[in-house]
Amino acid sequence: MAGAPKDEWQERYGSSRQRDVPFATMSGIPLEPVYGPADAEHPGVFPYTRGPYASMYRSKLWTMRMFAGFGTAEDTNERFKEIIRAGGDGLSTAFDMPTLLGLDSDDPMSLGEVGRCGVAIDSLADMRDLFSGIDLGSITTSMTINSPAAPVLAMFVAQAEETGVPRRAIGGTLQNDILKEYQAQKEFVFPPRQSMRLVRDVIAFTAAEMPRWHSVSISGYHIREAGSTAAEELAFTLANGFAYVELARQAGLDVDAFAPRLSFFFNAHIDFFEEIAKYRAARRIWARWMRDRYGAHDERSMQMRFHAQTAGVSLTAQQPEVNIVRTAVEALAAVLGGTQSLHTNSMDEALALPTEKAARIALRTQQVIAHETNVAHVADPFGGSWFMEELTDEMERRAGEIFDAIDAMGGGSMLEGCIKGIEENWFQGRIADSAYELERAFNAGERVVVGANRFLEGNEEGFGDILRITQEQEERQRARLDSVRRDRDDAKVAEARDRLAFEAADPEANLMPALIDASHAYVTLGEMMSTLGGVFGRHTEVPSI
Amino acid sequence: MPTRVLVAKVGLDGHDRGIKIVARTLRDAGMEVIYTGLFQTPDTVASAAIDEDVDVVGLSMLSGAHMTLAPLVVKALRDRGSEIPVVVGGIIPDQDADELRSAGVAAVLGPGATADAVVSTVESVVR
């Protein structure tokens, strides 16, 4: 059977490196790396339903990438170091609301929001403190930032350059997924088309100069958290991915020059099998579209790799300890679904940002799954299950219907379809409808949430300490920003902002070099965004319920 | 006359799942609901509440800015001579809920508040 998927898999598996652990059950039964007949789908073989790599976790466990950020850069730097000490091997930065919207900490709109639900980053000085003492060569970092993704990446690059790390050597991930901001997360600043120009600039710049950087992390997580179904999360996310592919191709880039650096980010919700089917369908759809519709030749353009995070919305404020169990089940689904990295939420996150202890337990949950359960020994263990294969096909079919609708809205362009769907509140309306349906089922008792609508005994008990962010941290950040403004060279700031405005007005220009130079000159994030806003204008959403 | 409610997002918090569900829940309970949209300030909320002649203002706050912004909305209303009650819902720790009530917030709905609790709370502060 030459050319059977298993032969292809065998060849790839044979050339892979394996971790030095016994691949056997607890009782000593040896385990194969994957199971299934020779003509069945195999991991590492097109269309990658069963995993992007032939050896999956036998070569490398998923990255335990913990999302953190609060207060000032110094506060978050301490939490990062604690995560690394506890055995986390990836970092992911949560920014505060002003930073997510490209506002400085001393902007009047930032009042009360500084450092509250993420770290405040105003300038290169904060970026430097954020990663101080952390070896960015040995740990990869992800930055959850979208509207100001380009300026924040510029600050990151400037910070690395200051410490002597060249652009080519910088590894990491920028979320930079603006489409889902309009659809779900709602931290938008500029109108969609102007924002997409910044996405394009990042893709083109990193493709040319930063080969180790992931330019966009196409995110379903927020779509699901905002209330979509699993199939909508799958379809909207991949549709957005196709839109970025079309955007970059329109800019003249070859698909294989940038697609290998696109990555994905999915939710790991509480419906165990549906989530696993979602991941399997996602990989298969991506592979087929990339090869057949977008003409990719490089396999890496077709191999979907993704990060997963357990579902924040599944957590309850009642009996928060029970959230540890929910998170464990969700994390297990992500692992059995073949995620490349994972963040586990903490038990106290329906109440506040997590305490250090709660965050450590969340990381320990991953470590139990990774090192005690043996589930990482066999790739795609549900592959071949009649139920799982059927559910995977059904997710693909439902996603296909949604792609057809978006493609039709865009007149044959997924890029135009996504933008039109945003402008017409199509995505937003569908997400709100699905969210309301879930709520209706919850209120009717059809959907049980332990501690929330059933099994309420124990709800009256108090929970221990939660993390408090104080107004003092906001004051401290404002004072830091004051000193940055005092110490910098105003002439250089003005020059950098003039250049940025000039280049922003030229739609052909790539803004990354001007943004990096502005970062070195300590132009603040708010100043860069306001300069760009002067050219791009602002987006407002028509309110609808 | 049905109860008129203004539901509002103040500050920079874009999380709008909760407010949309609350808006639909109140509407299904027979109330007239007006949604401000995102990124409002205490002043724009107070002006809208008075212009729309609502009976109650509901704020949805999930970004941790409630201790700063919710009292400012109450103040902006009172500065305009309005006694419209303000209800705050979202990720509000119990300890903060007490302080918010002291600052003039009529009621606080924490995470996990049921649809029935939302409707009955709004009804109770309007009476």
Side-chain angles (χ1 to χ4, degrees), chain A residues 331-348:
Chain A
L332 186 59
V335 168
L336 298 181
T339 195
Q340 277 58 61
S341 71
L342 179 61
H343 167 91
T344 31
N345 290 327
S346 302
M347 63 173 140
D348 52 358

Side-chain angles (χ1 to χ4, degrees), chain A residues 97-98 101 109 112-113 116 186-187 225-227 313 317-318 350-351 432-433 436 438-439 443 466 468 471 543-545, chain B residues 11-17 20-21 23-24 28 35-39 41 63-65 68 91 93 95-96 111-112 115:
Chain A
M97 289 291 176
L101 286 168
M109 276 301 283
E113 308 265 14
R116 293 279 174 177
K186 306 295 176 76
E187 300 293 323
E225 289 286 297
V313 287
Q318 301 92 337
L351 304 169
D433 288 347
Y436 195 55
L438 269 181
E439 193 68 14
N443 287 317
I466 58 170
R468 311 287 307 185
Q471 202 60 21
S544 74
I545 58 173
Chain B
L12 307 179
D13 178 21
H15 296 101
D16 62 359
R17 176 181 183 161
K20 288 185 173 188
I21 285 175
R24 291 187 186 199
D28 289 355
Y35 171 40
T36 58
L38 299 166
F39 311 130
T41 66
S63 72
T68 311
I91 307 280
Q95 182 188 337
D96 290 357

Side-chain angles (χ1 to χ4, degrees), chain B residues 63-82:
Chain B
S63 72
H66 50 270
M67 296 305 285
T68 311
L69 296 180
L72 290 177
V73 174
V74 175
K75 182 173 182 299
L77 282 164
R78 305 299 173 257
D79 286 351
R80 288 164 170 78
S82 164

Side-chain angles (χ1 to χ4, degrees), chain A residues 200-451:
Chain A
R200 178 205 71 184
D201 287 357
V202 169
I203 293 174
F205 180 82
T206 55
E209 304 214 19
M210 299 171 68
R212 296 187 59 228
W213 193 263
H214 290 105
S215 56
V216 190
S217 169
I218 306 151
S219 304
Y221 185 81
H222 320 78
I223 293 169
R224 191 68 179 283
E225 289 286 297
S228 81
T229 64
E232 286 166 341
E233 177 196 354
L234 170 64
F236 294 178
T237 308
L238 267 71
N240 290 343
F242 302 143
Y244 297 125
V245 170
E246 292 183 14
L247 174 81
R249 278 165 40 119
Q250 279 179 10
L253 291 175
D254 179 76
V255 65
D256 290 323
F258 65 88
R261 302 312 291 171
L262 299 176
S263 63
F264 286 80
F265 172 23
F266 289 111
N267 204 299
H269 219 303
I270 195 72
D271 190 318
F272 190 73
F273 292 111
E274 186 174 60
E275 292 302 278
I276 297 169
K278 178 184 74 183
Y279 307 130
R280 300 176 90 250
R283 281 189 294 260
R284 184 192 288 166
I285 296 166
W286 183 252
R288 289 188 176 151
W289 278 63
M290 291 306 288
R291 187 188 68 178
D292 300 338
R293 178 150 167 167
Y294 298 119
H297 295 286
D298 187 338
E299 276 200 329
R300 295 173 307 149
S301 301
M302 308 173 207
Q303 291 167 318
M304 169 185 282
R305 290 149 301 113
F306 69 90
H307 171 71
Q309 176 171 341
T310 58
V313 287
S314 72
L315 305 182
T316 61
Q318 301 92 337
Q319 305 181 53
E321 295 88 345
V322 179
N323 291 328
I324 297 174
V325 181
R326 295 190 177 97
T327 296
V329 170
E330 294 164 356
L332 186 59
V335 168
L336 298 181
T339 195
Q340 277 58 61
S341 71
L342 179 61
H343 167 91
T344 31
N345 290 327
S346 302
M347 63 173 140
D348 52 358
E349 292 193 65
L351 304 169
L353 294 193
T355 61
E356 194 172 298
K357 179 174 180 181
R360 191 167 57 239
I361 291 170
L363 174 60
R364 296 284 180 253
T365 305
Q366 293 197 44
Q367 291 164 336
V368 168
I369 293 171
H371 301 292
E372 294 187 20
T373 66
N374 287 343
V375 298
H377 288 353
V378 178
D380 189 37
F382 285 114
S385 147
W386 288 326
F387 170 44
M388 183 54 70
E389 295 298 348
E390 185 71 33
L391 200 53
T392 303
D393 291 346
E394 179 63 17
M395 292 297 290
E396 185 179 7
R397 196 188 62 73
R398 291 188 179 211
E401 287 175 4
I402 297 174
F403 296 144
D404 288 346
I406 296 169
D407 209 25
M409 273 193 288
S413 156
M414 296 301 277
L415 173 58
E416 290 303 317
C418 285
I419 291 176
K420 192 160 179 223
I422 287 164
E423 289 169 348
E424 296 183 355
N425 268 345
W426 183 83
F427 294 101
Q428 299 91 316
R430 276 195 70 142
I431 292 169
D433 288 347
S434 296
Y436 195 55
E437 168 53 26
L438 269 181
E439 193 68 14
R440 187 206 58 73
F442 168 79
N443 287 317
E446 295 161 23
R447 187 169 67 92
V448 173
V449 179
V450 171

